[in-house]
Amino acid sequence: MFGWNKQAAGPVFVPRDLGFTWLRVLQLDMSADSEASPRRNVPGSVSSPLKNGEKGVFRNQNAGYTALASPVRREVGNRSMTRSFCVDDNDLEDGKASKERDSSLQLLKLPTTQNQALLSGLAYCISSCSMILVNKFVLSAYGFNAPIFLMLYQNIVSVTIVSTLSLSGAVPTEPLTWNLIKVWLPVNIIFVGMLITSMFSLKYINVAMLTILKNVANVLTASGETYFFKKQHGIQVWIALMLMIISAVAGGVTDLSFHAVGYTWQTLNCFLTASYSLTLRHVMDSAKQATKSGNLNELSMVLLNNILSLPLGIILVLGFNEVEYLLETSLLRMPEFWLVITASGVLGLGISFTSMWFLHQTSATTYSLVGSLNKIPLSVAGIVLFNVRTSMQNSLSILFGLLAGVFFARAKLRDNSVG
């Protein structure tokens, strides 16, 4: 699983981190960031480094959404962040996650140029930032009051594209089986909740503050790893997490556009983002055993998450009574509006592909740090494009939180290399 004022990013699947949501499935930058692979995945927007042999498996599946997740992913999260939420800070420190991505990328038949590392990095940054900004634009500038329908439509776009590519043989995906669906359903329910809460919070909170608040998901994820999986983190990681908490609190206190409803939705999103990351680790082995090949690559996770989200999304659209609004709003009679929300769906899925391409062309260290640094121009763009009222204190809090995110990424990489 965007706007002008987003922002899993993490398939993720990443996390369309809103955005952060797509690959959302993944990568929770949370993965938290994830802002949403919804959409849009992959996050993160899915998201945290795990113990040695388990790291590569989890990160590989989680990369992208952060935000598929994202989402923190994708995202809101990430699709980013949402979906995609989500991939940037916590995942892929050891480089093991690139193996399954390589097999997928070989089938994408990307053109070979001397500057593919630069091109892939730019594509990843642009797609992850654009999805959050476009989502914000839809929810705030257009005033679209059906965020669940927006998530549902973005997921339909993702399913359509990935299914078409899979049927044509362009990308490999695992066939869906009843056993796989039963294993994955708990993860998917959390994934949908992550995308929806990311959408709702993005409607009320500016992109820069949302980016800082999503850091709290990293704190929850790291604490969950220590409690449930006995994962030990270095002192620098905990210092970085403490700095993230301080920046989030300071940012909220000095936020001139503070909205209690938006902050409530974002708090819930942080818990869901962390839950997605931890649950994904718990069920990944079972999910791989439920596939015919004994493996589950990221694109298969994108497809699985988004297909399973459709019936639940329809139920929630009816439950939140968005149908009445959809029948009355004039926005759905505007071709340009459909073009914008379709673009948001394509961007959410784009986070998944560009994150795989970028990781294939560079090191895991570069990938993680670029994902963290990418939040800086995203925050600036969110403030400028949407004319956000801010103060010097709030701006410093946001900058402090962004730098804390970079410090956290470096600390995780160092912690992993030492371990």
Side-chain angles (χ1 to χ4, degrees):
M1 317 13 150
F2 317 148
W4 316 124
N5 180 46
K6 26 215 205 215
Q7 291 191 80
V12 28
F13 262 61
V14 262
R16 323 148 170 80
D17 87 153
L18 295 239
F20 299 124
T21 183
W22 212 322
L23 216 12
R24 263 102 265 275
V25 155
L26 60 286
Q27 276 272 101
L28 300 172
D29 183 334
M30 338 128 266
S31 353
D33 274 26
S34 334
E35 277 70 11
S37 175
R39 267 343 142 346
R40 295 151 51 20
N41 157 133
V42 59
S45 293
V46 353
S47 62
S48 51
L50 310 174
K51 294 184 179 179
N52 300 325
E54 297 167 324
K55 292 180 197 167
V57 172
F58 179 64
R59 293 192 189 91
N60 187 27
Q61 312 307 330
N62 230 9
Y65 286 131
T66 55
L68 245 219
S70 179
V72 61
R73 157 104 154 298
R74 107 210 214 78
E75 68 239 279
V76 309
N78 320 260
R79 291 171 200 273
S80 175
M81 89 166 221
T82 347
R83 301 177 194 247
S84 119
F85 33 163
C86 295
V87 157
D88 303 347
D89 292 340
N90 291 329
D91 300 323
L92 311 168
E93 307 95 330
D94 59 358
K96 297 178 182 179
S98 62
K99 293 181 179 178
E100 289 184 7
R101 298 174 183 275
D102 291 352
S103 61
S104 297
L105 287 167
Q106 289 174 357
L107 296 179
L108 292 178
K109 299 178 181 178
L110 297 171
T112 51
T113 69
Q114 295 180 345
N115 299 314
Q116 277 212 25
L118 176 61
L119 292 176
S120 60
L122 287 174
Y124 169 64
C125 292
I126 291 173
S127 61
S128 59
C129 287
S130 297
M131 180 170 185
I132 295 168
L133 295 174
V134 172
N135 276 347
K136 182 65 176 177
F137 183 63
V138 171
L139 296 171
S140 297
Y142 274 112
F144 189 60
N145 290 321
I148 301 177
F149 172 80
L150 177 59
M151 176 217 70
L152 177 63
Y153 182 75
Q154 290 174 341
N155 288 359
I156 291 174
V157 172
S158 176
V159 169
T160 301
I161 295 176
V162 176
S163 297
T164 301
L165 293 175
S166 179
L167 292 174
S168 66
V171 296
T173 58
E174 287 292 327
L176 300 184
T177 63
W178 179 241
N179 287 336
L180 180 59
I181 292 174
K182 288 190 297 182
V183 170
W184 200 259
L185 191 57
V187 178
N188 183 256
I189 292 175
I190 300 175
F191 171 76
V192 172
M194 183 179 68
L195 293 186
I196 291 176
T197 54
S198 180
M199 288 288 190
F200 276 111
S201 61
L202 185 60
K203 181 175 178 62
Y204 298 103
I205 304 177
N206 69 73
V207 172
M209 272 307 306
L210 191 68
T211 302
I212 301 307
L213 294 174
K214 281 184 175 294
N215 285 337
V216 177
N218 291 328
V219 180
L220 297 173
T221 301
S223 301
E225 288 175 345
T226 300
Y227 182 80
F228 293 109
F229 302 111
K230 311 305 178 184
K231 166 69 177 178
Q232 299 300 315
H233 298 290
I235 184 64
Q236 289 187 338
V237 171
W238 291 113
I239 292 175
L241 293 173
M242 183 60 65
L243 294 177
M244 288 179 174
I245 295 176
I246 294 173
S247 67
V249 173
V253 171
T254 58
D255 187 1
L256 299 181
S257 58
F258 178 88
H259 198 294
V261 174
Y263 274 71
T264 300
W265 280 114
Q266 183 52 40
T267 300
L268 181 57
N269 175 260
C270 288
F271 279 98
L272 288 171
T273 295
S275 299
Y276 177 79
S277 176
L278 297 171
T279 304
L280 187 63
R281 173 183 178 180
H282 179 68
V283 306
M284 184 55 65
D285 288 340
S286 299
K288 295 176 73 172
Q289 292 173 6
T291 62
K292 293 184 177 180
S293 67
N295 196 13
L296 188 64
N297 61 33
E298 187 172 355
L299 290 178
S300 296
M301 292 177 68
V302 172
L303 185 60
L304 180 61
N305 257 340
N306 285 280
I307 286 180
L308 294 182
S309 72
L310 300 185
L312 183 56
I314 293 173
I315 293 173
L316 291 174
V317 166
L318 297 174
F320 278 75
N321 198 29
E322 289 188 352
V323 174
E324 182 178 352
Y325 169 78
L326 293 171
L327 293 175
E328 295 176 353
T329 181
S330 61
L331 290 174
L332 297 185
R333 293 187 287 274
M334 299 170 54
E336 63 190 58
F337 179 76
W338 284 102
L339 181 62
V340 171
I341 63 175
T342 300
S344 69
V346 174
L347 285 170
L349 183 60
I351 296 173
S352 301
F353 285 99
T354 56
S355 64
M356 288 189 294
W357 182 22
F358 186 37
L359 185 62
H360 179 67
Q361 297 296 328
T362 61
S363 67
T365 300
T366 301
Y367 176 81
S368 181
L369 292 179
V370 168
S372 298
L373 293 170
N374 191 38
K375 298 172 189 175
I376 297 177
L378 172 62
S379 298
V380 173
I383 292 174
V384 173
L385 293 174
F386 299 104
N387 298 317
V388 176
R389 293 188 309 117
T390 186
S391 63
M392 178 61 69
Q393 294 88 340
N394 186 248
S395 297
L396 291 176
S397 298
I398 292 172
L399 178 60
F400 184 72
L402 294 171
L403 295 178
V406 176
F407 179 51
F408 174 71
R410 291 180 60 86
K412 292 292 292 183
L413 292 167
R414 185 179 300 109
D415 192 38
N416 180 77
S417 62
V418 171

